[in-house]
Amino acid sequence: MAELGHNYNIQCMKLFQELKAAFPSVPDEVVRQCMKKNRNDKGKCKEDLSKESQNYFPGRYRNRALLSHQMEQLFKLDKELRQDRADMFAMRTDVQQLENTVKRQEIRVQKHPAKIVHVEVKQLEHDIHSLRGLCDNMSKKVTNLTGGKVPLGETSINFENYLSQQSHAVPDTPDAPSDMSS
């Protein structure tokens, strides 16, 4: 310390700058500790820092390994991104095809609704005709069972009166006449 002179701080900073320029891979704090340990002796500091720099020199290789790893990851991600874009394009094409199919089907349905309605109307007319026939058959059965005393379709008449007055006209077990089954 005595050989550094009266401008101690300035000389310490100068020594620090020289050591740092000579060993740039060594962190600042390690350089300061070395200066303190060796009491700012330039020769001893250079010896210690040259040994110490061996510990920090592989850092460059670690940085290269890290960079290489990152580049490898970047290429993998780029490849995956290209694959995902291709998949997305394929899905977009599929969706467009499905949309076109639906549009074509809608156009077909719009062109032929009269045929569908016509078929439904024909089916309904057939069902109505069948129901009318069934109703006619049932009214014949009621007429045969009641002996013609109950007017069908009349809702203003009290049917209990007809049934109680002519209770003998309604057979308990019908003898199936031929016109009742039709």
Side-chain angles (χ1 to χ4, degrees):
M1 256 203 285
E3 55 195 56
L4 289 176
H6 69 285
N7 293 329
Y8 179 73
N9 286 339
I10 295 172
Q11 290 178 356
C12 283
M13 294 293 264
K14 182 180 174 190
L15 178 62
F16 176 78
Q17 293 298 327
E18 288 175 8
L19 293 173
K20 193 64 183 158
F23 305 101
S25 63
V26 178
D28 293 353
E29 188 57 37
V30 174
V31 173
R32 284 191 184 99
Q33 287 175 355
C34 181
M35 286 172 57
K36 195 175 200 179
K37 177 182 156 191
N38 294 313
R39 297 184 175 209
N40 295 335
D41 184 356
K42 189 175 184 178
K44 288 182 181 180
C45 287
K46 282 188 175 186
E47 270 182 47
D48 286 352
L49 288 175
S50 66
K51 292 175 187 174
E52 191 71 31
S53 68
Q54 298 295 324
N55 296 335
Y56 294 99
F57 187 69
R60 289 185 178 167
Y61 295 114
R62 274 187 258 143
N63 287 341
R64 286 184 186 160
L66 177 63
L67 182 61
S68 174
H69 175 71
Q70 289 174 342
M71 290 299 291
E72 191 176 304
Q73 291 297 318
L74 178 66
F75 290 136
K76 285 180 184 178
L77 289 172
D78 187 47
K79 181 180 177 183
E80 190 175 322
L81 179 63
R82 276 189 259 121
Q83 180 62 40
D84 288 346
R85 282 184 181 160
D87 292 345
M88 186 180 69
F89 180 75
M91 285 194 303
R92 184 180 296 150
T93 303
D94 291 345
V95 167
Q96 287 174 347
Q97 288 175 349
L98 290 172
E99 286 175 345
N100 290 337
T101 302
V102 168
K103 286 178 184 177
R104 284 192 301 263
Q105 288 175 349
E106 286 176 354
I107 290 171
R108 280 188 217 139
V109 168
Q110 289 174 355
K111 287 181 180 179
H112 305 294
K115 289 181 181 178
I116 294 172
V117 171
H118 183 68
V119 169
E120 289 177 359
V121 168
K122 288 288 188 184
Q123 181 65 37
L124 288 173
E125 287 175 351
H126 175 69
D127 291 344
I128 290 170
H129 181 70
S130 297
L131 286 172
R132 280 188 182 149
L134 290 172
C135 287
D136 289 342
N137 288 339
M138 288 192 67
S139 70
K140 287 178 185 176
K141 285 181 184 179
V142 170
T143 301
N144 286 334
L145 289 174
T146 61
K149 300 295 181 183
V150 177
L152 292 178
E154 184 62 44
T155 58
S156 63
I157 300 174
N158 189 354
F159 294 110
E160 293 175 4
N161 293 340
Y162 281 101
L163 294 176
S164 62
Q165 292 172 3
Q166 302 289 332
S167 63
H168 63 278
V170 179
D172 290 336
T173 55
D175 297 332
S178 62
D179 62 341
M180 283 177 51
S181 63
S182 53

